[in-house]
Amino acid sequence: MPEHHDVVVIGGGQAGLSMSWHLTGRGIDHLVLERDTIAHEWRDTRWDNFTLVTPNWQCVLPGYRYTGPDPHGFMPRDEVYAWVRGYADTFAPPVREHVAVTGLAVSPSGGFDLDTTCGPLHCDRAVVAVGGYHTPALPRFAERLPARIRQLTSAEYRSAAALPEGDVLVVGTGQSGAQIAEDLHLSGRRVHLAVGSAPRVARFYRGRDCVAWLQDMGHYDIPIEDQPGGLGKRENTNHYVTGRDGGRDIDLRRFACEGMALYGRMIGFSSGTGYFEPSLEKSLDAADAVAESIKDSIDAYIARAGIDAPVQSRYRPVWRPEREVTEIDVAAQGITSVIWSTGFRTDYRWLRVGVFDGEGHPCHNRGVTGTPGLYFLGLPWLHTWGSGRFAAIARDAKYLADRITVTVPETVTARAGFA
Ligand SMILES: Cc1cc2nc3c(=O)[nH]c(=O)nc-3n(C[C@H](O)[C@H](O)[C@H](O)COP(=O)(O)OP(=O)(O)OC[C@H]3O[C@@H](n4cnc5c(N)ncnc54)[C@H](O)[C@@H]3O)c2cc1C
């Protein structure tokens, strides 16, 4: 008979640990399986100068919160990693590290059969907490770049110093691409940036971090179903902004004034030439429009609530492209590295249960799937904006733990100190 547990949690990041905290407190038998080590994504797939873009006060896990000296600051990479690891030290979760789940299927005898790198397991309930960023989504034309150009994904990029001498082409301006372009630019590298359709948000407005205003406005409590665009929001690119040096805007127009070369979306590469859509001006304008519309909503909230907040003048574009550059000779520009910041795909091939839609996304309601006993946690927009972030993982974990608890026999004994 394979080893059996009431619940198996797959993934030992902040989501898996949050679930384990609830199950531990409720005395529910469970096991967390982590293919690497606890919280390793924070250590292994972020660049050296990485900082959070969300303020430290939003770092809340069940029974644990940021209590450091800088609640309005943005933890750097190693501090985030240490903070999440420190969480595990507070309650000793039953984690088995270096064990990957390679298969999960509904068991003919009920519950789920798991194949793992340490042998088979059986459980009555399974919580999939494997994050939302599995495989970098590279355009196929990346294969056409000559071997002399060093190609990295955003998850592999560490620092300017680790790249060969020369200019760097960064493709994509989601949160990672915009911050990596900033990192390279600040280090003195000449950056060529292919600007996509990601929106941006101002860091501060009218005396506070925009995140603080949006929190007070209840913005982060709105479930995905009630958001404009509904479930389609799950596909949206995150707003770019930075937490670097205490936090500031990322204004790509300012970078252009300082020498960064901006292009529209990259659409191809052939015979030494990179091709771009003539979409730069449109993308810059659209990103600014989103940032200004967020300010509009903050203004409206301040007026409605009668809050005494300093008035702040609005953003004025400091640069406009004179013309759209749609092709560049990569060698002539001196480009020696390309950083692909073009997003991620999910990879659930190991999960052999019919809970996916035509695009391969799991179908669920707040993480509860149509297959009894199978749950997802930690996915971007699982329920609200903060579901795939620190901001709301505690709420989502409690919701699922409550549902799991009612299905577990009443023989369990809650542990003290897990309110
Ligand atoms: C570049 C970047 C910047 C971010 N910045 C912020 C920010 O500023 N603020 C914020 O709140 N959030 C941020 N996030 C989002 C989010 O907080 C992180 O992605 C976080 O790591 C998600 O935690 P998680 O536990 O859901 O997933 P992960 O941290 O990805 O953990 C999942 C775990 O599952 C394990 N695993 C996967 N498959 C298997 C398997 N088959 N068997 C066993 N184990 C498996 C993995 O090894 C991993 O440890 C950022 C994300 C990225 C990518």
Side-chain angles (χ1 to χ4, degrees):
M1 288 291 286
E3 180 180 338
H4 170 86
H5 291 278
D6 281 350
V7 184
V8 166
V9 179
I10 303 145
Q14 70 220 26
L17 294 175
S18 297
M19 176 50 67
S20 180
W21 186 90
H22 278 290
L23 299 177
T24 301
R26 295 165 196 222
I28 296 174
D29 161 56
H30 70 287
L31 182 64
V32 181
L33 297 176
E34 166 53 55
R35 69 177 172 198
D36 196 290
T37 53
I38 287 173
H40 77 99
E41 293 285 342
W42 286 109
R43 181 196 61 201
D44 296 338
T45 63
R46 312 287 188 262
W47 53 98
D48 293 351
N49 287 325
F50 172 91
T51 67
L52 291 178
V53 294
T54 52
N56 295 335
W57 55 262
Q58 260 191 347
C59 290
V60 181
L61 297 174
Y64 189 70
R65 57 176 55 246
Y66 174 86
T67 52
D70 193 12
H72 298 287
F74 308 89
M75 281 191 268
R77 178 192 63 189
D78 296 346
E79 214 175 310
V80 183
Y81 173 65
W83 181 77
V84 181
R85 285 217 57 113
Y87 180 46
D89 295 339
T90 65
F91 68 101
V95 183
R96 230 169 259 174
E97 294 184 318
H98 303 292
V99 178
V101 175
T102 53
L104 186 152
V106 174
S107 175
S109 59
F112 300 96
D113 291 323
L114 286 84
D115 296 323
T116 82
T117 48
C118 269
L121 274 169
H122 180 267
C123 63
D124 295 328
R125 295 152 202 86
V127 179
V128 180
V130 296
Y133 310 104
H134 303 163
T135 315
L138 262 61
R140 285 295 300 259
F141 62 76
E143 296 160 19
R144 295 191 186 183
L145 267 71
R148 62 175 175 73
I149 293 188
R150 178 96 187 274
Q151 297 190 52
L152 295 176
T153 66
S154 57
E156 292 167 329
Y157 170 74
R158 290 293 163 273
S159 67
L163 298 179
E165 292 282 305
D167 289 17
V168 186
L169 170 62
V170 178
V171 184
T173 45
Q175 270 184 4
S176 296
Q179 290 177 86
I180 289 171
E182 176 193 49
D183 188 46
L184 289 161
H185 182 67
L186 294 179
S187 76
R189 282 299 176 105
R190 177 158 157 83
V191 176
H192 302 252
L193 180 62
V195 178
S197 57
R200 77 181 184 102
V201 60
R203 179 78 273 171
F204 303 105
Y205 183 59
R206 301 197 62 178
R208 296 174 81 200
D209 194 316
C210 285
V211 173
W213 284 122
L214 292 168
Q215 168 97 357
D216 289 358
M217 289 157 65
H219 180 78
Y220 298 135
D221 296 327
I222 303 172
I224 180 145
E225 299 80 19
D226 299 339
Q227 294 278 347
L231 296 184
K233 195 118 189 154
R234 289 188 175 138
E235 303 307 309
N236 285 8
T237 315
N238 291 321
H239 300 65
Y240 59 84
V241 63
T242 184
R244 191 96 178 245
D245 303 323
R248 57 179 167 242
D249 292 5
I250 291 188
D251 181 1
L252 301 180
R253 298 180 199 267
R254 180 154 305 285
F255 289 159
C257 295
E258 294 165 2
M260 192 182 285
L262 303 185
Y263 314 96
R265 196 169 70 89
M266 189 167 188
I267 49 173
F269 183 87
S270 174
S271 309
T273 303
Y275 295 93
F276 305 88
E277 264 180 4
S279 53
L280 174 61
E281 180 150 35
K282 195 169 126 224
S283 294
L284 292 174
D285 285 347
D288 288 344
V290 171
E292 294 309 295
S293 74
I294 293 170
K295 291 177 188 170
D296 289 343
S297 63
I298 293 172
D299 281 343
Y301 169 72
I302 288 171
R304 241 184 0 259
I307 295 167
D308 183 16
V311 175
Q312 186 176 333
S313 58
R314 287 305 190 91
Y315 175 75
R316 290 239 178 91
V318 294
W319 178 88
R320 284 200 170 276
E322 280 169 20
R323 65 187 180 91
E324 297 276 348
V325 177
T326 54
E327 14 180 307
I328 54 168
D329 179 328
V330 166
Q333 293 289 340
I335 293 171
T336 55
S337 319
V338 176
I339 315 291
W340 299 106
S341 304
T342 37
F344 293 85
R345 294 196 182 94
T346 52
D347 182 359
Y348 291 113
R349 280 173 298 176
W350 55 273
L351 188 40
R352 300 192 285 269
V353 184
V355 291
F356 296 96
D357 67 13
E359 311 268 283
H361 301 306
C363 302
H364 62 84
N365 186 354
R366 292 192 72 170
V368 180
T369 74
T371 298
L374 183 64
Y375 308 91
F376 285 84
L377 182 62
L379 295 178
W381 282 105
L382 183 105
H383 177 49
T384 59
W385 172 87
S387 288
R389 300 174 167 88
F390 287 122
I393 191 66
R395 171 169 55 195
D396 291 354
K398 179 175 184 315
Y399 180 84
L400 285 190
D402 288 347
R403 256 115 218 109
I404 289 170
T405 305
V406 294
T407 69
V408 171
E410 287 175 17
T411 51
V412 298
T413 326
R415 245 171 74 179
F418 282 76

